[in-house]
Amino acid sequence: NPGIESGTAGYASDGGNCTLEANGTDVRNGLRSLRVYSRTGAGGGPIQDVTGKITNGKWYYFEAWMKMSTTPEEPAFSILVRKAGNPDQVLKKPIGQTPQPVGTDWTKVCASIYANWSGGADSVYWRVETNTSSQEFKMDDLKLIEAPAAGAPMPMAPARETWRQEAVN
């Protein structure tokens, strides 16, 4: 559901740290965007279960169109790995990737993350949050793309079961 056309299906609030809503009045493309509000802090944001779609030891490219409600801020993408009896492992973009502040207009943001976790995983999620504030934000046209090798140009091709077809105008 990368364009949120099926409402909030496939997205969740991690531990109730925000409220998610399919928004039909402020969209980048299509009929809906994902409104993320009532955030409990900068870490409050949506997650999407990608268990079985992300492979340990591979690079992934994340992309989304976003807009903040009040002031510019840099969003943060991460991979969240959960294993019963162990603390969550949070994998973030490497230091040195160019900051991408998002203002109150639709802006494309992206990050590359190396999926490298220790031990097994019961579940794997990708998460979007912000670096400093708990302001509301909107998202649309999300992508998760697997790269064939480290250092390969991105984006390459959609990861399994994450693509969608669009009409060309």
Side-chain angles (χ1 to χ4, degrees), residues 92-169:
K92 297 189 176 205
K93 72 179 182 179
I95 294 172
Q97 284 189 21
T98 306
Q100 300 173 59
V102 172
T104 56
D105 293 322
W106 286 106
T107 304
K108 182 170 85 170
V109 291
C110 54
S112 298
I113 301 175
Y114 184 55
N116 186 23
W117 61 83
S118 59
D122 292 332
S123 53
V124 181
Y125 302 89
W126 74 298
R127 178 170 65 183
V128 182
E129 54 196 54
T130 55
N131 282 330
T132 56
S133 80
S134 60
Q135 71 177 299
E136 175 181 317
F137 63 84
K138 293 184 179 81
M139 299 173 36
D140 205 351
D141 299 321
L142 291 87
K143 291 181 183 179
L144 168 60
I145 300 169
E146 182 181 308
M154 299 214 203
M156 298 302 293
R160 297 180 306 274
E161 301 175 35
T162 62
W163 67 279
R164 75 175 189 183
Q165 183 176 1
E166 296 181 12
V168 177
N169 293 333

Side-chain angles (χ1 to χ4, degrees), residues 2-151:
I4 324 301
E5 302 310 315
S6 299
T8 58
Y11 298 91
S13 169
D14 189 19
N17 62 18
C18 65
T19 303
L20 306 177
E21 171 186 275
N23 173 25
T25 58
D26 188 3
V27 301
R28 185 210 163 248
N29 191 21
L31 301 174
R32 294 182 184 87
S33 66
L34 183 65
R35 178 181 172 219
V36 182
Y37 64 102
S38 296
R39 298 173 62 218
T40 58
I47 62 173
Q48 187 174 42
D49 190 340
V50 291
T51 305
K53 296 178 180 122
I54 287 187
T55 304
N56 195 4
K58 293 201 174 204
W59 278 92
Y60 290 87
Y61 170 83
F62 295 86
E63 179 181 291
W65 284 83
M66 297 180 68
K67 68 185 291 186
M68 298 295 156
S69 62
T70 56
T71 58
E73 181 162 5
E74 183 182 0
F77 297 99
S78 60
I79 297 172
L80 178 63
V81 180
R82 293 196 165 137
K83 174 82 173 159
N86 294 307
D88 290 351
Q89 294 181 59
V90 180
L91 313 171
K92 297 189 176 205
K93 72 179 182 179
I95 294 172
Q97 284 189 21
T98 306
Q100 300 173 59
V102 172
T104 56
D105 293 322
W106 286 106
T107 304
K108 182 170 85 170
V109 291
C110 54
S112 298
I113 301 175
Y114 184 55
N116 186 23
W117 61 83
S118 59
D122 292 332
S123 53
V124 181
Y125 302 89
W126 74 298
R127 178 170 65 183
V128 182
E129 54 196 54
T130 55
N131 282 330
T132 56
S133 80
S134 60
Q135 71 177 299
E136 175 181 317
F137 63 84
K138 293 184 179 81
M139 299 173 36
D140 205 351
D141 299 321
L142 291 87
K143 291 181 183 179
L144 168 60
I145 300 169
E146 182 181 308

